[in-house]
Amino acid sequence: MADLPSDCIFCGIIEGKISAKVVYQDEKVMAFEDIKPIAPVHILIVPRKHIPDLTKTTAEDVDVLGHIQWVAAEIARQQGIAERGFKLVNNCRADGGQVIYHLHYHLIGGKLLKYIV
Ligand code: AMP
Ligand code: ZN
């Protein structure tokens, strides 16, 4: 529930202070395995920039938001789940069930996932 980067678990992973199983990284994003996977493939894609949640994005963030969608597809191809498909989920704030306040997208696949919406 960190609002400041110094308290933020995902900033800690990005800075290399907290270990994670990194599956992809570039100048804009990092992607690593979720510590409590709910499916055979469960990866978190996070911008390197600390943005607390989707409601805090600005027009300047459009580039990284679009980039995340491409990275999700790229990781899905690498992980072998592109053909059968997957879910790409952002939990936004309290009603969305967000726990960690550093913007992230869950890439989930490798099994048939329940219909949510
Ligand atoms: P959310 O509810 O969208 O905020 O989800 C946060 C996710 O972060 C959960 O699926 C957690 O299992 C995951 N998580 C928490 N701590 C870590 C960590 N140190 N490394 C990887 N994933 C984590
Ligand atoms: Zn952060």
Side-chain angles (χ1 to χ4, degrees):
M1 277 81 67
D3 280 317
L4 296 169
S6 58
D7 300 328
C8 174
I9 292 171
F10 290 172
C11 283
I13 290 173
I14 288 160
E15 290 162 14
K17 292 176 183 158
I18 297 170
S19 66
K21 291 183 182 166
V22 176
V23 299
Y24 175 91
Q25 59 182 317
D26 62 26
E27 73 285 359
K28 293 182 185 132
V29 302
M30 270 188 90
F32 47 86
E33 292 179 6
D34 194 293
I35 206 164
K36 280 190 185 170
I38 62 155
V41 176
H42 187 169
I43 288 161
L44 302 175
I45 306 170
V46 311
R48 286 187 184 274
K49 176 184 174 188
H50 181 88
I51 303 168
D53 65 71
L54 197 55
T55 73
K56 303 297 187 298
T57 54
T58 70
E60 282 179 14
D61 301 318
V62 168
D63 182 44
V64 74
L65 291 170
H67 186 65
I68 286 168
Q69 302 253 347
W70 173 80
V71 167
E74 188 67 10
I75 296 170
R77 289 187 285 266
Q78 286 174 7
Q79 298 275 329
I81 60 168
E83 193 174 342
R84 286 191 60 85
F86 52 85
K87 287 189 189 293
L88 183 64
V89 176
N90 170 248
N91 296 329
C92 184
R93 298 182 63 77
D95 281 0
Q98 185 173 1
V99 174
I100 296 190
Y101 277 74
H102 180 129
L103 179 67
H104 57 278
Y105 288 75
H106 299 252
L107 173 66
I108 310 163
K111 71 172 190 182
L112 182 60
L113 296 157
K114 223 173 137 183
Y115 182 81
I116 300 171
V117 283

